[in-house]
């Protein structure tokens, strides 16, 4: 099994859902491709979509909702051994 641990590209507050009442962008078992939004990073009141870095299936979401992340902190693990989304 090939895995990719995706990391935060810059520091900020991570949001795993688009709004408090919405479903998460991705959950364990979700299929993603390189354009799938996996979360938002908020820096100084600006929200930036974080996209999956590879196609595959999400194995684990490591970052919590509204968790402060530093650049390089782990966000999630993607199984890249399959054919992806």
């Amino acid at each position: 099994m090939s895995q990719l641990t995706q990391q935060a590209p810059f520091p900020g507050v991570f949001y795993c859902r688009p709004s408090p009442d919405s479903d998460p962008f991705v959950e364990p078992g979700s299929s993603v491709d390189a354009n799938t939004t996996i979360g938002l990073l908020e820096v100084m009141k600006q929200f930036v979509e974080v996209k999956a870095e590879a196609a595959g299936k999400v194995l684990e979401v490591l970052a919590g909702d509204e968790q402060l992340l530093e650049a390089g902190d782990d966000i999630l693990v993607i199984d890249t051994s399959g054919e992806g989304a």
Side-chain angles (χ1 to χ4, degrees):
M1 175 186 306
S2 297
Q3 296 180 2
L4 169 78
T5 301
Q6 185 156 345
Q7 299 170 329
F10 50 84
V13 177
F14 181 75
Y15 293 90
C16 65
R17 56 188 79 232
S19 69
D21 297 330
S22 299
D23 292 332
F25 287 106
V26 294
E27 299 177 294
S30 297
S31 294
V32 296
D33 61 32
N35 287 322
T36 301
T37 300
I38 61 169
L40 301 171
L41 270 176
E42 184 261 324
V43 178
M44 299 183 72
K45 305 299 181 195
Q46 293 190 7
F47 293 85
V48 178
E49 290 185 345
V50 179
K51 304 286 187 180
E53 293 178 351
K57 184 174 284 189
V58 175
L59 294 176
E60 187 176 4
V61 179
L62 303 169
D65 195 35
E66 299 185 32
Q67 180 177 344
L68 179 61
L69 299 178
E70 296 295 329
D73 283 352
D74 295 339
I75 296 177
L76 55 75
V77 180
I78 301 171
D79 174 7
T80 59
S81 61
E83 294 300 316

